[in-house]
Amino acid sequence: MSTLERPARTPRRSPVSWVRRGGLSNLLFMLPLLVIFGVFSWKPIVEAVVMSLQKTNLVSPATFIGLDNYVKVLSDPQLGQAALNTLYFAALALLFGYPVPLVVAVLMSEVKRARGLYSALAYLPVVVPPVVAVLLWKVFYNADPTGPFNTVLSWVGIPPQPWLQSAASAMPSLVLEATWAAAGGTIIIYLAALTSVSPDLYDAAEIDGAGIWKKVWHVTLPQLRGVLLITFILQIIGTAQVFLEPFLFTNGGPANSTSTILLLIYRYAFQNSLGGNYGAATALSVLLAVFLAVFSLIYFRLTKSWSSE
Amino acid sequence: MTSTTDTPAPPFVPLGATVMTEPESGGSDGRGPGGPGGPGGPGRHGWRGWRDRRRARRLQGGPDAGSTGDRGIISISDHRRPSIRRTTRVVHGVLLALLVVAGLGPLLWLLKAAVTPTQDTLRTPMAIFPNGIDWQNLVTAWTTIHIDVQFLNTVIVAAGAWAVQLVVAATGGYALSVLKPRYGRIVYGLVLATLFVPAVVLLVPLYLTILHPPLIGTSLLNTFWAVWLPAGASAFNVVLMKRFFDNLPREIFEAARMDGAGPFRLFWSIVLPMSRPIIGVVSVFAIIAAWKDYLWPMLVLTVPAMQPLSVRLPALQQTIELDVYLAALAISTLIPIALFVIFQRLFLRSAGLGGAIKG
């Protein structure tokens, strides 16, 4: 790397003057980053694209097969179902998970005493390791009439629900847990943004005769616009890659109602009795990445004028 | 710093503790080691100390207080009206109740179920100890099921990942921000570019890299290196570190160079000691991420004796009895919760900071 840089600055350079100018120590400090990112980030990203054009299973040597992996993945009958399920998860997650943290954060920002207690309580589920959270909720979702959730429902006269056992209620159950696990982080982000809203704006709104609701609608929410736009796209990108919940709660069942894109990728690569179909797995992951990149690009283009004002 | 000396030991504690006593710095204003300036002083952790510090800060008109004043959406004159005061009080009460039920409820249930016999949990899950407490569950989970091994593995995984991430981010951030070699811009651009690649794209190639790592020749499968090393490739950490270093005053570096300090001395004696706040933040991110990770350790640590808790617990659910299983779940939650309670402010600030960087 250093040899590339040398001729540019002064015409007469030797390795000795390069070392004397600090080139060696610069490189030494850069080395851990270059090695770790090189081996575990940059090289795998390039390899992913290459592998998606190859037939590889570690048994026989890799051969280039053009776009065959992409054709195979796109014509897989499971893809449609997995894509629809992922969309459904993302849509439900928006429905449950997008408004709740906002409302809670706005209410919390008005708490004067012991706000730290409120924040801590809201953030607590985020601290629980995700695997533990899923396994614990799996116990909660016990579909027997004596399951924890069904017991609570019986107190208010609601009959036992099948939760994870039926194709109709499995996905909403997954989303409910995912929302519980993630809402705290979003609440804290909104709270941080809310404290930076200038009080002058509220003063000004009051002089114009605005009540509390008008202040929320015309001052608070517009001031949060930037954060709201970002959390929206981050949530989409996150939910498009949901793996843990469908994998641990239902493993895609019942009747494939919770199989997602990532579950499909995982199965191509690691649950194949014929040896991993690594080409198909990387092809689908590259497709997902491209889709998300295009989606984000369009999203930011569309919302550009809206967020900058 | 005084608060660091009396704390026994896990390597990340002193760093975190130091950050706790910093005045509200927002993580990147470059005030560096301004002494344990929080009025709470050393050792005043927990709720009381937090409140005192916050109050004092408000009185001093620190950055936090300065921007918000004491008002929010509801004005002071609004507050004088009894109807509004009553409504807000009710709303806040309901909010607190909901947060307790949603945030604390499931965990309290887990704690209860961990020491309840299986049949009680199955028949009357919401009853509180109908047939007494069974402490034996915890002992069985720890010794017979050997959660202790998994627990130790989790600590090893987290500690190693933390160390690798810190070394990469600190040296890389220093080189990019302070030393600034000519190729630095290209390197930083490439680091930033990885932020836009979803992790799933790396899954398979990274797995194959672990099977056939370059230069080493033997597979890293079922070694802790397989988890530690890839953790270091976190662009987020490098960005955080570099931005923090960018805000440190250049005059100090110049003065140190005048006094003959080389790049290593500058790094070790000047930059690192000034960077405790950001090291604390990166440490929190690193340890939490390592504690949470599931898919990757599941793929590369296939031997149960090496698996961390998160990987082993799902496998246990079919094989052991419910009460012991729940005890194991409770034990796995304990350390993260304890860390959170101790370093609450650092956690919450890091979470807010994450939003600020993304935004």
Side-chain angles (χ1 to χ4, degrees), chain A residues 28-248:
Chain A
L28 275 179
F29 272 107
M30 202 66 103
L31 207 58
L33 186 149
L34 290 176
V35 170
I36 294 285
F37 271 78
V39 177
F40 299 106
S41 187
W42 298 328
K43 179 170 147 285
I45 290 172
V46 175
E47 277 175 345
V49 179
V50 174
M51 279 172 62
S52 71
L53 303 171
Q54 283 179 329
K55 188 176 169 62
T56 359
N57 56 10
L58 293 187
V59 183
S60 44
T63 46
F64 268 92
I65 52 168
L67 294 174
D68 279 12
N69 284 322
Y70 288 92
V71 174
K72 181 186 174 276
V73 165
L74 286 173
S75 59
D76 188 334
Q78 293 183 51
L79 180 67
Q81 177 80 50
L84 279 180
N85 287 339
T86 308
L87 271 180
Y88 186 40
F89 185 96
L92 279 179
L94 277 182
L95 195 69
F96 292 2
Y98 198 60
V100 172
L102 181 60
V103 172
V104 173
V106 169
L107 290 178
M108 268 169 65
S109 72
E110 286 306 308
V111 173
K112 292 283 182 285
R113 259 179 296 169
R115 196 193 299 173
L117 179 66
Y118 285 73
S119 309
L121 284 172
Y123 200 70
L124 208 50
V126 185
V127 187
V128 178
V131 169
V132 174
V134 169
L135 297 177
L136 178 62
W137 278 64
K138 211 173 170 180
V139 176
F140 290 163
Y141 282 144
N142 181 356
D144 295 338
T146 56
F149 277 179
N150 281 338
T151 306
V152 173
L153 288 184
S154 75
W155 293 345
V156 287
I158 299 175
Q161 300 296 312
W163 301 112
L164 302 167
Q165 307 285 336
S166 100
S169 62
M171 193 62 100
S173 305
L174 262 60
V175 175
L176 193 63
E177 186 276 337
T179 304
W180 175 80
T186 323
I187 291 175
I188 300 302
I189 290 174
Y190 288 155
L191 266 182
L194 278 167
T195 52
S196 65
V197 176
S198 161
D200 298 347
L201 291 173
Y202 292 124
D203 290 340
E206 272 153 28
I207 291 166
D208 292 344
I212 290 171
W213 291 115
K214 281 219 162 132
K215 275 183 271 180
V216 171
W217 190 249
H218 292 292
V219 178
T220 314
L221 291 183
Q223 286 293 309
L224 289 183
R225 203 162 39 188
V227 178
L228 287 169
L229 285 172
I230 294 288
T231 51
F232 181 86
I233 190 72
L234 286 180
Q235 190 177 342
I236 297 282
I237 292 172
T239 49
Q241 301 181 62
V242 63
F243 174 79
L244 191 69
E245 279 85 4
F247 185 70
L248 285 180

Side-chain angles (χ1 to χ4, degrees), chain B residues 57-141:
Chain B
R57 214 170 36 244
R58 195 178 292 152
L59 290 175
Q60 289 165 355
D64 192 22
S67 59
T68 50
D70 232 6
R71 70 153 300 169
I73 299 162
I74 301 170
S75 68
I76 294 156
S77 61
D78 282 339
H79 263 293
R80 297 224 177 84
R81 281 166 51 196
S83 66
I84 285 185
R85 223 169 36 209
R86 213 175 306 128
T87 318
T88 51
R89 200 169 290 165
V90 170
V91 167
H92 290 161
V94 171
L95 185 65
L96 186 63
L98 285 177
L99 286 175
V100 167
V101 169
L104 202 59
L107 297 176
L108 289 179
W109 188 88
L110 177 60
L111 278 186
K112 174 200 84 99
V115 290
T116 305
T118 304
Q119 285 311 313
D120 287 352
T121 302
L122 284 178
R123 284 205 201 103
T124 52
M126 303 310 283
I128 297 165
F129 306 126
N131 291 310
I133 298 179
D134 187 2
W135 295 107
Q136 196 59 37
N137 291 343
L138 294 169
V139 181
T140 312

Side-chain angles (χ1 to χ4, degrees), chain B residues 174-353:
Chain B
Y174 174 68
L176 290 170
S177 170
V178 182
L179 300 179
K180 290 192 176 150
R182 296 160 64 80
Y183 49 86
R185 294 175 68 93
I186 303 167
V187 172
Y188 191 53
L190 288 173
V191 169
L192 284 181
T194 64
L195 278 174
F196 297 95
V197 180
V200 58
V201 173
L202 279 87
L203 190 66
V204 172
L206 203 53
Y207 180 72
L208 299 184
T209 304
I210 294 301
L211 288 185
H212 303 287
L215 297 177
I216 302 174
T218 61
S219 165
L220 289 177
L221 204 70
N222 286 319
T223 64
F224 286 118
W225 293 108
V227 186
W228 290 340
L229 293 179
S234 160
F236 190 62
N237 288 344
V238 176
V239 173
L240 275 179
M241 281 281 188
K242 181 185 177 295
R243 283 199 188 175
F244 186 86
F245 293 157
D246 284 344
N247 284 323
L248 293 176
R250 302 282 120 170
E251 300 81 33
I252 297 183
F253 302 158
E254 291 310 317
R257 283 201 184 108
M258 293 289 191
D259 292 343
F264 293 93
R265 186 73 196 272
L266 188 64
F267 178 66
W268 193 253
S269 309
I270 312 273
V271 173
L272 274 192
M274 291 178 85
S275 307
R276 283 181 175 157
I278 199 65
I279 289 173
V281 168
V282 170
S283 301
V284 166
F285 283 139
I287 289 161
I288 292 291
W291 205 279
K292 283 182 164 183
D293 208 6
Y294 171 70
L295 177 57
W296 182 248
M298 178 185 74
L299 288 176
V300 295
L301 299 176
T302 54
V303 186
M306 295 191 74
Q307 286 174 341
L309 287 163
S310 63
V311 179
R312 189 78 188 125
L313 288 172
L316 284 177
Q317 63 178 321
Q318 283 97 14
T319 54
I320 64 175
E321 223 188 322
L322 182 68
D323 55 353
V324 178
Y325 172 63
L326 287 168
L329 288 187
I331 293 172
S332 322
T333 322
L334 229 56
I335 290 277
I337 299 280
L339 282 179
F340 173 61
V341 170
I342 300 169
F343 299 118
Q344 202 192 96
R345 248 161 59 75
L346 184 61
F347 268 76
L348 295 178
R349 170 137 35 93
S350 303
L353 187 67

